Amino acid sequence: MIPIKKDREIDQMRAACRAAAEVLDRLENLVAPGMTTRDIDEAAAQFIAEAGAKSAFLGYRNFPGHLCVSINEEVVHGIGGNRRLAYGDILKLDVGVVKDGWIGDNATTIRIGVVPPAVDRLVEDSARILRDVIPHVTQGSRVGDISSFIEQAALARGYSVVREFVGHGVGRKLHEDPQIPNFGKPGTGPKLKAGMTLAIEPMINLGAAGVRILDDKWTVVTADGLPSAHFEHTVLVTKDEPEVLTWRKKTLLK
Ligand code: MG
């Protein structure tokens, strides 16, 4: 059952997503070489509180962080700790917040200074793939159309997509139906209807698709140790153009 939000609920989703986007924006401005991922987690805790919200991730299945903070070969679900951000890294921040019972979820990949050209392209291309798939997140499309678009766009540029972790419906719960894999067949899966709110989140690997989970039981890393990029928006399906609820003025792409 995919929840369809009513107008009043959509307004609450807008507020939650605005808070999530604002926190991500503030973190993006803050990060610098030399910071530990714990520093970033602590800043996230403060910014989320200042947005009048709570972390949607803290305590979720016992996740210990206020956000997911992942570097280079870490794909998603990294936990703030002693790892120190270095010049030339790519940093993935995933921020989910609860505000008045509703959840906004968004993520971005940040280049810390100048990164190697192949990694630079991976980050740009992954941002572009999310931007380009969003117009397809509209009433009448099927989940498989979104999945397939992301997969084909990634493969066409020589990347691979992570198969074990997926986008999802989001609302009162962090993970609602439907699951939105970053691979699939067009014309398959549930049909999108106005009022659905979906977290679309390509996870794209420079090398092979395989991933493994570290001993902390959370951090997902690429099996080949090559970098991975992650971008996410919460999107409202409407009868016309989709509305990006976590839209930010500052984006990687013009
Ligand atoms: Mg998500």
Side-chain angles (χ1 to χ4, degrees), residues 143-155:
V143 167
D145 299 333
I146 300 168
S147 300
S148 162
F149 183 99
I150 293 169
E151 181 182 30
Q152 294 309 318
L155 296 183

Side-chain angles (χ1 to χ4, degrees), residues 10 38 45 54 135-136 141 151 158 175 181 183 208 216 229 249-250:
I10 289 169
R38 180 175 292 110
K54 287 193 167 145
H136 300 273
S141 292
E151 181 182 30
H175 293 125
F183 62 95
D216 65 17
K249 198 187 288 181
K250 190 174 73 189

Side-chain angles (χ1 to χ4, degrees), residues 32-62:
M35 290 179 83
T36 64
T37 55
R38 180 175 292 110
D39 295 333
I40 298 169
D41 187 86
E42 285 171 2
Q46 185 191 325
F47 295 163
I48 291 168
E50 287 172 2
K54 287 193 167 145
S55 169
F57 301 162
L58 181 65
Y60 178 85
R61 295 186 180 165
N62 294 322

Side-chain angles (χ1 to χ4, degrees), residues 193-211:
K193 290 195 183 123
M196 293 179 180
T197 45
L198 307 174
I200 310 293
E201 48 178 325
M203 294 161 222
I204 298 180
N205 291 354
L206 186 60
V211 295

Side-chain angles (χ1 to χ4, degrees), residues 4 57 64 72 84 95 109 134 142-143 162 173 184 198 243:
I4 305 286
F57 301 162
N72 297 343
R84 218 171 267 282
V95 172
T109 301
I134 284 171
R142 289 183 182 273
V143 167
V162 173
K173 291 191 184 142
L198 307 174
E243 183 178 331

Side-chain angles (χ1 to χ4, degrees), residues 37-110:
T37 55
R38 180 175 292 110
D39 295 333
I40 298 169
D41 187 86
E42 285 171 2
Q46 185 191 325
F47 295 163
I48 291 168
E50 287 172 2
K54 287 193 167 145
S55 169
F57 301 162
L58 181 65
Y60 178 85
R61 295 186 180 165
N62 294 322
F63 184 77
H66 294 87
L67 84 167
C68 297
V69 48
S70 312
I71 297 176
N72 297 343
E73 79 290 353
E74 297 170 346
V75 179
V76 286
H77 302 169
I79 302 166
N82 294 330
R83 188 164 179 178
R84 218 171 267 282
L85 206 51
Y87 190 91
D89 282 346
I90 59 169
L91 172 69
K92 283 137 280 180
L93 301 178
D94 191 343
V95 172
V97 308
V98 194
K99 196 174 166 86
D100 299 326
W102 295 85
I103 295 175
D105 194 3
N106 62 173
T108 194
T109 301
I110 301 159

Side-chain angles (χ1 to χ4, degrees), residues 92-131:
K92 283 137 280 180
L93 301 178
D94 191 343
V95 172
V97 308
V98 194
K99 196 174 166 86
D100 299 326
W102 295 85
I103 295 175
D105 194 3
N106 62 173
T108 194
T109 301
I110 301 159
R111 290 166 290 197
I112 305 300
V114 177
V115 306
V119 180
D120 196 58
R121 272 196 303 276
L122 170 73
V123 175
E124 293 261 345
D125 286 342
S126 301
R128 191 166 289 120
I129 289 168
L130 177 58
R131 184 197 67 187

